[in-house]
Amino acid sequence: MAKYSPQELADTLKEGLLSFPVTSFDAELQFDEENYRKHLAWQASFPVAGLFAAGGTGEGFSLTPAESAHVVRTAVDEVGSRVPVLASAGGSTAQAIENAKAAEAAGAEGILLLPPYLTEADQEGLIEHVSAICSATSLGVIIYNRANAIYKDTTVAALAERHENLIGFKDGVGDLEHDARVYAKLGDRLFYLGGLPTAETFALPLLQLGMSTYSSAMYNFVPQFALDFYRDVRNNDRVAVNKKLNDFVIPYLDIRDRVKGYSVSIVKGGLDAIGRSAGPVRPPLQNLAEQDLADLKALIASVS
């Protein structure tokens, strides 16, 4: 049973940093529950506003529905009493409904709705897709504006009118005009979060468009740095933000951009670098090369 109503959840999430814990795997690429619990406990020991289990950084795309449900149940059991745990729903409409129902049964507080299966869809189709998931759960639902799920402002408004439990808009595209249109039309009806890869890079300008928070992947391995960066963003401290961008974030991006898919792999690499390994990534991703890991380790040491 969720402890937060959808609106209470939105009010909580919009005022703090959010993160997506990596999913721990063993050497055979099976879910490592014990190690995952340890990682979650460490993540929840810092003042993060919400943790999203089995999300993109958690390699949710590589999990079966049964594995995803297991990961979410584990997260709720381990840290749900300390921090809101949200789950992801994706794939086909039927699979997303299955994910959402399993998350609600596990005691999760909300749902991040990922783009649907790989096909082009127009706005009416997206409305029906989102409506099906919102209707299947009483949990708060956040839509993820990315890839083949680009929601026009009028679409978001229609969905918000139809479903009280639609609470958030996450942007993974960075189209400023689009974001401005959505915020201008919906205002405080929703909360807004940045979801571009390495969201810190865009956090300060997106704050001006109403995105009061974002999902930080690097929180997984440098949580205090991530929280300090978020504080500087919310304080509109451009000098402090730029210093952190130059000292860590931009060099981190340079390593991330060496290989496709490193935006997830580099997070597990960061945990390897600090001695808190969460195991390898599953194919089709690949682990950091030896030199890339060495460069990341040196970068982390420079800001620790």
Side-chain angles (χ1 to χ4, degrees):
M1 182 70 177
K3 296 187 292 292
Y4 295 81
S5 70
Q7 187 57 54
E8 290 169 340
L9 181 64
D11 291 342
T12 297
L13 297 180
K14 72 180 182 182
E15 295 302 334
L17 185 65
L18 309 175
S19 191
F20 286 60
V22 297
T23 301
S24 299
F25 298 129
D26 62 22
E28 285 71 45
L29 298 179
Q30 299 304 302
F31 176 45
D32 185 345
E33 180 176 331
E34 181 180 359
N35 201 28
Y36 185 57
R37 286 179 178 274
K38 291 178 181 177
H39 181 57
L40 288 167
W42 183 55
Q43 297 281 276
S45 71
F46 295 85
V48 67
L51 295 174
F52 290 70
T57 304
E59 297 177 74
F61 46 82
S62 78
L63 301 174
T64 67
E67 287 177 322
S68 179
H70 187 185
V71 169
V72 173
R73 285 196 307 271
T74 301
V76 171
D77 181 63
E78 184 64 33
V79 298
S81 63
R82 287 180 277 170
V83 61
V85 171
L86 292 89
S88 295
S92 67
T93 302
Q95 181 180 322
I97 290 172
E98 182 180 347
N99 291 150
K101 288 183 174 180
E104 184 163 5
E109 298 292 343
I111 301 292
L112 174 65
L113 181 56
L114 303 175
Y117 51 85
L118 190 58
T119 186
E120 298 302 319
D122 212 334
Q123 296 302 295
E124 190 58 40
L126 290 173
I127 287 175
E128 294 308 313
H129 176 71
V130 175
S131 289
I133 285 79
C134 286
S135 297
T137 180
S138 65
L139 300 180
V141 175
I142 301 162
I143 53 174
Y144 197 175
N145 185 73
R146 184 173 179 171
N148 59 327
I150 305 300
Y151 300 93
K152 290 183 179 179
D153 56 332
T154 50
T155 298
V156 180
L159 286 165
E161 175 68 23
R162 188 182 296 187
H163 301 285
E164 290 186 4
N165 63 330
L166 180 66
I167 62 169
F169 177 86
K170 180 177 181 179
D171 179 55
V173 177
D175 182 333
L176 299 187
E177 179 182 326
H178 186 172
D179 292 340
R181 285 174 178 269
V182 172
Y183 186 80
K185 183 168 287 291
L186 278 296
D188 292 336
R189 169 62 181 83
L190 302 178
F191 86 100
Y192 307 85
L193 58 152
L196 287 157
T198 313
E200 282 82 359
T201 317
F202 313 91
L204 193 57
L206 289 180
L207 178 68
Q208 309 306 315
L209 289 178
M211 293 190 179
S212 62
T213 187
Y214 52 87
S215 55
S216 173
M218 64 178 60
Y219 177 85
N220 274 274
F221 59 92
V222 283
Q224 192 56 58
F225 176 89
L227 288 164
D228 291 344
F229 193 103
Y230 178 71
R231 176 203 62 210
D232 294 338
V233 168
R234 291 300 300 265
N235 288 338
N236 273 291
D237 189 338
R238 185 171 297 277
V239 172
V241 167
N242 283 341
K243 184 177 189 315
K244 288 180 174 65
L245 285 172
N246 285 312
D247 289 349
F248 184 79
V249 178
I250 292 175
Y252 173 86
L253 298 179
D254 290 340
I255 300 170
R256 182 203 70 184
D257 291 344
R258 292 174 186 174
V259 174
K260 290 181 179 180
Y262 261 14
S263 58
V264 175
S265 305
I266 196 172
V267 182
K268 281 195 166 175
L271 285 163
D272 288 337
I274 65 170
R276 289 179 171 270
S277 179
V281 293
R282 280 180 169 176
L285 300 181
Q286 60 192 77
N287 297 309
L288 261 61
E290 185 176 341
Q291 186 59 58
D292 299 333
L293 181 58
D295 292 345
L296 179 60
K297 188 172 184 178
L299 177 61
I300 294 170
S302 73
V303 297
S304 299

